[in-house]
Structure formats: C-alpha cells, structure tokens
Amino acid sequence: MPPALTISEALKDESCWHFAGTHSDEGWTCAWVARRRGWGDDLLLQRPSQPPLVVASRAKVAGPPVFFEDGDFAVVIDGALKVGSSYGNFGNLVIEPAKGETMRGSIRWVGDAFLVIVKRADGRECLRRYSWTSRGDFDEVYVASKGGSIGSFDGWPGSSAVALVHRLANAMVAEVIVVDEAGQRSVARDGRVEYAPPSVGCLVNDIPGTNGRRQLVCRFGGHDVASGVGAKLFADDAADAPQRLADGPTSGLVHGLFVLDRDATRWERVDIQTPDFQRVDVAARSYGPPIRDMCVNAERTGVVVTGREESGVGEALYEVEFSVSGDRSTGMISRIGFDPGEQGAVAPVAAVRLADVLFVKRSPDSWGDLHAVKSSSFPDDRLTYTMPLALAAKLRAPDQVKLDDGCHALVYWPTTEIGGDDDDDDTMGTDNNAVTVRPLVWGHGGPLCSHALEPAPLFQWLADLGHVVVVPHFPGSVGFGLAHMDAVCGDGCGKKDFESVCAAGTWCLKEDGLRPPEGISVDRSRGVGYAGHSWGGYLGLLAATRAESPFSCVVASAGIADWNVQQKCTEVRYYDRWLMGGWVYEEAVRPRVARANPEPVVRVPLLLAHGQADTDCPFAQINTFAEKAASPLLETLFLEGEGHGPSGWSEEHRKAYFEAIERFLRQNLKPWNCVDNPHGDVTAY
C-alpha cells in the first residue's frame, strides 16, 4: 500500500483549469492554466508530440484562451487581452481597458472581432466587441443592470447578433438576452441559477431550405417555461419581480437542454437518455472549477454537453446535432464513445466535429487532464498528466451509496494502514490484522453545491487518520433535481437538511450500514463524529446542540449561529433571504428563525472554528454564541484576519486548522488508552 497522505499534501491548494484547444492536421493543440498557491497562474501550451511549454508564469489568467484556425490564440492575462502564437510567444497585439476598468473571464472570437466581459469604472459589467483590425476600438454590446453580471455568451458568425446570460442582482434569476438588429430582447428566464448557471450556444443550421437560419441552444438550471419568448425585461427598479420568480414553486421550472424553435417563438426541450432509457440531467453540475459544461462544434451545427445519470455523480459526454424538420427543431443524440467508468467529472472543451472532441476529465487522482476522442467507436486518448504521480497514488475513489433516507453519499476509506505497529488502539476489539476506522460524517457547504468524483485531499487525509468519511448530498444539494435543492429553503431550512445528516449519522451506526473493504473494520464504540464548513458548519452547530442529534462530537467551522445577525451583516443577503424564505423581521418568518437558530447549549464536545474577518458568515454571531455557550465541552479556534474560506487563509492558519481537527477527533472519537490517546505533557507522579 502507498504511504498515507500527509498534512502538507492535504494542505496543497493547486489545480488545473481553464482548458482550451484547437485542431489541425497534426492533431490537437492544447492550453491550460495551473494555479499554484502563493505563486499565481501558469499558462501552459502543448503542441502535438511536444512537451508542455510555459508561456506565462506568476500571472492572473482570467479565463481559457481562444484559438484561431492557424493555431494562434488570445487570452486575458493581468487584465489585458493578449494574442500569442502556437509556439508560445506573444505578439504585438495587446488590448488594455481604460483606467479603472478590468477585463475578466473567458473571451470569444466571432467573425473578425473579440467578445469580452469588462468591469467598468462605475462598477457595472458589460459585454464589448473589440475589432481585430482596429486595436482598442469597441462596441458596447450590452450593459448589465446595477449589481448584475454577465455569464455565458456567444455570437453568430457573419452577423452582429449576440446571445448572452444576464444574471440579475439580489436574485437567483437570470435572463437570456439576444442583441441583434432588432435591439435587445429577453428570450427566456432562468429561476434557479444556483442549480446550474445557464449556458448559451449560437448555431447556424445549413440544411437546405432553412437559409442558414440562426438557432439558439441553452442549458437551463430552472427554465421558466411560462414566461415565453419576448418577455418584458426586468427593470432596474422592479426589485420584487425577479424575487417573485426565485420564490415561486418549482413546478413551473424545468432544468435541462433546450433549443429555440425555427420561428423563435418557443423553447423545445431536448431529452437525453441512456441506452436503458434513464433520463440524463445535463444541468447537474458538480462542485468544481469554472470549466465549460457545453461547447459548440466548429461547424456550429450542434453541441457537446455534460450529462449525469441518476445512479450517481459520475458524468459522461453527449453530442446533440440539431436540425429542422417541418416547424420543429430536433436533436440527434448520442453518447461520446469513451468509458467514464464512474471515474469522475467531465466537461467538453472544443469540438471540430461532433465526433472529434477535446474534453477534460477530473477524477479522484487527477486535477483535470485533457482527453481527445475521434469518434464513438474509438477509445479516448489522454493528452496531459497534471497531478504528480506520487500524490495521485495516495488518493482513492470513494464509494457511492444511497442512504436510508434516499440521499446519495460518497464514502472515503483509507488507502493505507493507519498509524504504525505501536498504534494499539487501531486494532482494539477487532481482528489484529484489520485496520480499524471510526465513522465521521462531513457536511458540505453551500448548501447549494455538491461533490463529484474529483480530488478530495481533505477527505482522504481524514480517512488516513483513521476515519471513514461519509459525505451526504442532503436536501439543498444541487444535481439531484430542483425539488431536492428547494427542499432546504423556507420551512425546510435547518430542518430537512439537518434531518438528513442525522439520518446519515444513524446509518453509520448500523451494523449493516457501512460496508468496509477487505482488511478494514469499523469501530463504533465512541459513536459517530460530525464535521463541516460554512453551511456544513451551521449544521454542525445544530448537531452539537440538538437532543435528537446522533453525533458524539462535532467540528463546526464558519457556520451560522444567529439568523438575525446573519441576514443583517452578511455580504450575500439575497441568498440567505431565499434560504430563510423571507426577512427575519417579517412576522411569518420569525417562528422559522427561532426554530432554525442553534441554542447555545453544547451537549457534546464541540470544536468551533471561524475566521474573525469573515463577512459571509459574520464572526460576531459566533463570538456571541461561544460566550453564551461557555462549557468544558467547547473548544474554539478563532483566526485573526481570516475570511470565510480556508483556501484564502494563510498557510500557518490552515495548518493550525487541520491540526486542531486531527487532535480533536483523536481525543473525542478514538478510544482512549494509557499510552498515546490522550496523554499529558507530564506524569502525575
């Protein structure tokens, strides 16, 4: 067996993302961004049959490069748009925004111009079209509303028409906007942006008789099918209009892939199914880096889209080629011929033709690597290796299980023998040849997110410390349908999700629950522990203070302790308003707030961790909770100057956080002995 994952390896915060590619007769030319903690971004370029070339180092790369037909590329680096050659050197074309402005995100090359998002000096985001021939000249295509933003966008070649996603401020709502000769018009609304941000693609159908008619395809997180095409734009001052859609029932919203019909009067859903007729959710996206989940092929006749089947969180790619039949737009669907093997999360990067696709595959032992597939009858070809092999060998794919309440969960087992020959407590009460682990439930943040089959050093490190880590996708998790996500808001906030993590804890305590691999046994003598960050930290506070909780010890990090303080002081007020189903001062909401707040009465050992500069879950509420709940069972780790997420903490504070968790779980979840758990610094005699 490989050696256990070390704390320094678990602390690494490196990744590979922002992939791009183009194809020539020689093969695929690829580019990707490697983000290294404390270093910045490296932009790497790989030509066929050659090693990767670093073309920019210690930079801030805003999004994936876009390639031209000759292999040259353009990319936004350090706030400016630069053009480079396929051999790695940058040319003379550099477009810089005006003072006080910043280019951000991805770019598109349409016709003879660049489309790029710019944050203006007045704080508003806009989509601009920069001319290729006249450096610096631009047209302002669309300006987002106050507090709004621009997401996915695309254009039609040979036309000035552009389609984009406009996310409104203070709402889980986005509009799909078409800007063309007729002006600006809304063609759709998405009422569940948090489930999956909408993605648009511009197609040109060249079937005889259609006159190259433009088509628009969109992947929706929650399409408002009742609003129709040409719905009135939300005005900046109509503050309650988008919120009404966000608060509305799920029954009027549909997620999936849609195409605008040939008359541009209605959206038609494109159903994608497996060979055994399971519907594939193309809107289900895992918690991960900002990589594309839909791309248009170079011929602009179809798209490649990510799909997740109902059986788990493994993903596959599906190709959809659109055509016009009579008065309807139809899609011919097939699964791209590679074996996902439930191994990870995938996302399309580029497609020359629908049978010639470059895609990225993330798996438990890969930060993200580029693969290519030529047709459905050929296996995929791996083009890059981004994670060090020594680290990859220490990461194990989790089991996928369904808990008693029907929720999906990932289960992480250790990759190695735990401790050493003198670690007597690892075999206490079990076969001396077996590795013994203790159950630990981890509650994810969000709550509107989910975990996929991708690298999880934290969970693997906890497993290698002597735990089996169960990560449930409780109500509120995305990727399992809108009803499952919406169950956590309003009356379900702090109730449905908490009931589900409690059910996960109870399941861990059942003899027939966890099914360990050969050579591993589960010790339940000290119960089951719980740990979580952000929303998971909020559920941890409930787990430590509620009588119905099955947990014997709790780690609660960066959680909510008082909904009154949370809504008043948080920087994401609209989000917490949706979760609570209203404002805390509203008469109908007050009973819900009282029920959802954790009582400052600690019933089991609790490690309370929080950044003192946290503005997402403001620290003031946690400090007050700790003062009221003062108890020998309570330990605190308050980190000066740190914000909400551990990924933004200093190396010193992140290490202190991990070490505190390790020590707390050893003392409160592993059996005591007279040698090393726990022991004092001096003897008593």
Side-chain angles (χ1 to χ4, degrees):
M1 284 188 176
L5 198 68
T6 66
I7 190 170
S8 61
E9 291 170 324
L11 284 169
K12 283 186 180 297
D13 190 27
E14 299 183 12
S15 61
C16 291
W17 52 297
H18 282 172
F19 297 86
T22 188
H23 190 268
S24 68
D25 293 338
E26 298 177 347
W28 286 97
T29 298
C30 312
W32 69 96
V33 175
R35 170 157 288 179
R36 299 168 60 186
R37 182 172 179 83
W39 174 275
D41 298 337
D42 288 349
L43 176 62
L44 295 96
L45 183 69
Q46 184 167 353
R47 302 178 70 241
S49 303
Q50 294 187 10
L53 175 67
V54 179
V55 297
S57 183
R58 295 193 177 189
K60 185 176 182 180
V61 184
V66 59
F67 283 92
F68 309 124
E69 292 182 356
D70 60 2
D72 290 350
F73 65 93
V75 63
V76 173
I77 296 181
D78 295 331
L81 192 152
K82 299 182 180 181
V83 174
S85 76
S86 59
Y87 292 92
N89 57 306
F90 286 103
N92 295 323
L93 181 60
V94 177
I95 300 175
E96 296 185 358
K99 184 178 181 180
E101 297 182 340
T102 304
M103 293 181 176
R104 74 162 192 85
S106 59
I107 55 179
R108 294 285 187 275
W109 169 251
V110 181
D112 60 352
F114 294 105
L115 291 173
V116 61
I117 299 173
V118 176
K119 187 171 184 180
R120 305 191 313 190
D122 62 2
R124 291 202 176 190
E125 285 191 1
C126 66
L127 182 64
R128 288 180 181 172
R129 181 188 290 109
Y130 283 89
S131 170
W132 167 256
T133 56
S134 301
R135 184 193 308 179
D137 292 347
F138 64 85
D139 298 322
E140 206 143 74
V141 178
Y142 186 81
V143 181
S145 60
K146 183 179 180 180
S149 60
I150 298 173
S152 175
F153 59 92
D154 198 6
W156 283 274
S159 168
S160 61
V162 173
L164 59 94
V165 174
H166 172 219
R167 180 169 179 169
L168 284 85
N170 301 324
M172 296 172 63
V173 176
E175 298 175 294
V176 178
I177 305 292
V178 172
V179 183
D180 57 13
E181 300 83 358
Q184 301 176 2
R185 67 186 188 278
S186 173
V187 296
R189 299 174 183 171
D190 190 318
R192 289 296 180 270
V193 176
E194 299 289 352
Y195 187 82
S199 296
V200 296
C202 295
L203 308 179
V204 178
N205 197 305
D206 291 327
I207 293 178
T210 64
N211 297 320
R213 186 174 186 86
R214 298 195 308 244
Q215 285 184 295
L216 180 62
V217 61
C218 187
R219 186 216 60 170
F220 289 103
H223 181 33
D224 179 20
V225 294
S227 67
V229 176
K232 183 179 179 181
L233 290 170
F234 290 125
D236 286 355
D237 57 356
D240 64 332
Q243 200 64 61
R244 285 200 303 270
L245 181 56
D247 292 345
T250 307
S251 57
L253 304 176
V254 182
H255 57 86
L257 188 67
F258 288 76
V259 62
L260 199 59
D261 74 346
R262 64 178 298 181
D263 296 320
T265 58
R266 68 181 183 274
W267 288 93
E268 298 172 351
R269 180 166 182 168
V270 182
D271 283 333
I272 297 179
Q273 296 180 338
T274 64
D276 57 352
F277 302 104
Q278 284 192 58
R279 175 173 284 181
V280 173
D281 187 355
V282 299
R285 290 299 300 144
S286 56
Y287 185 79
I291 52 179
R292 298 177 186 175
D293 39 42
M294 183 179 77
C295 74
V296 179
N297 68 321
E299 299 167 322
R300 290 194 176 270
T301 59
V303 299
V304 180
V305 63
T306 298
R308 179 189 293 178
E309 300 173 10
E310 296 176 350
S311 58
V313 294
E315 296 174 339
L317 292 178
Y318 294 82
E319 55 186 23
V320 185
E321 187 164 16
F322 294 96
S323 61
V324 177
S325 177
D327 63 346
R328 294 185 64 83
S329 301
T330 59
M332 185 173 67
I333 303 156
S334 59
R335 178 167 165 169
I336 289 182
F338 75 95
D339 179 16
E342 295 267 323
Q343 293 177 4
V346 296
V349 171
V352 179
R353 295 167 294 277
L354 288 179
D356 196 351
V357 179
L358 184 72
F359 63 94
V360 58
K361 181 189 293 184
R362 288 170 59 85
S363 58
D365 60 354
S366 169
W367 284 325
D369 284 295
L370 289 164
H371 295 244
V373 61
K374 292 184 178 181
S375 75
S376 59
S377 59
F378 285 84
D380 59 298
D381 181 21
R382 184 173 179 176
L383 304 178
T384 67
Y385 292 82
T386 57
M387 178 181 284
L389 295 179
L391 177 60
K394 298 182 180 183
L395 298 173
R396 176 175 181 163
D399 294 339
Q400 298 192 66
V401 300
K402 182 171 284 189
L403 304 178
D404 291 341
D405 65 346
C407 286
H408 176 272
L410 299 174
V411 181
Y412 292 83
W413 299 95
T415 59
T416 184
E417 294 184 7
I418 304 166
D421 295 337
D422 60 345
D423 195 358
D424 296 335
D425 74 288
D426 278 338
T427 57
M428 186 177 293
T430 64
D431 185 336
N432 286 336
N433 293 322
V435 171
T436 306
V437 295
R438 287 89 195 173
L440 175 68
V441 174
W442 185 279
H444 66 67
L448 309 188
C449 74
S450 66
H451 287 283
L453 301 178
E454 47 189 6
L458 170 61
F459 300 149
Q460 193 62 65
W461 174 71
L462 288 169
D464 286 352
L465 288 179
H467 309 289
V468 50
V469 185
V470 178
V471 185
H473 285 124
F474 48 78
S477 304
V478 298
F480 302 91
L482 293 181
H484 188 74
M485 185 189 84
D486 283 357
V488 77
C489 73
D491 289 333
C493 181
K495 184 176 187 296
K496 294 294 185 181
D497 45 356
F498 178 60
E499 290 173 352
S500 184
V501 297
C502 287
T506 302
W507 178 82
C508 290
L509 293 173
K510 293 171 53 179
E511 289 294 332
D512 60 347
L514 291 162
R515 298 185 177 181
E518 183 178 357
I520 297 178
S521 65
V522 180
D523 175 23
R524 303 174 178 85
S525 63
R526 297 202 68 185
V528 55
Y530 175 89
H533 180 83
S534 192
W535 193 263
Y538 164 57
L539 297 180
L541 287 171
L542 298 180
T545 59
R546 297 285 173 87
E548 63 270 28
S549 169
F551 300 104
S552 58
C553 63
V554 171
V555 177
S557 172
I560 298 170
D562 187 329
W563 276 96
N564 292 282
V565 177
Q566 178 67 19
Q567 276 198 357
K568 176 183 177 182
C569 302
T570 184
E571 60 184 1
V572 286
R573 187 178 295 173
Y574 82 94
Y575 187 73
D576 290 354
R577 180 210 172 276
W578 181 84
L579 286 167
M580 186 49 63
W583 300 115
V584 293
Y585 54 77
E586 295 173 353
E587 185 175 352
V589 180
R590 288 174 185 170
R592 195 177 298 148
V593 172
R595 173 194 55 77
N597 277 342
E599 291 293 330
V601 179
V602 179
R603 298 175 179 271
V604 296
L606 169 64
L607 172 60
L608 193 60
H610 215 101
Q612 293 183 338
D614 191 344
T615 55
D616 193 333
C617 292
F619 174 69
Q621 59 186 312
I622 295 298
N623 195 38
T624 301
F625 176 91
E627 292 174 353
K628 292 181 178 179
S631 163
L633 296 174
L634 176 64
E635 299 180 32
T636 61
L637 178 65
F638 296 156
L639 303 173
E640 184 177 358
E642 300 293 8
H644 185 65
S647 61
W649 295 351
S650 70
E651 193 75 23
E652 177 186 1
H653 282 155
R654 293 177 76 234
K655 187 172 186 291
Y657 173 61
F658 274 48
E659 289 176 341
I661 293 176
E662 177 183 8
R663 181 176 60 254
F664 178 84
L665 293 177
R666 183 181 72 245
Q667 294 178 350
N668 293 287
L669 203 54
K670 287 190 175 184
W672 293 356
N673 60 52
C674 297
V675 178
D676 60 359
N677 186 33
H679 66 87
D681 294 330
V682 295
T683 59
Y685 53 87

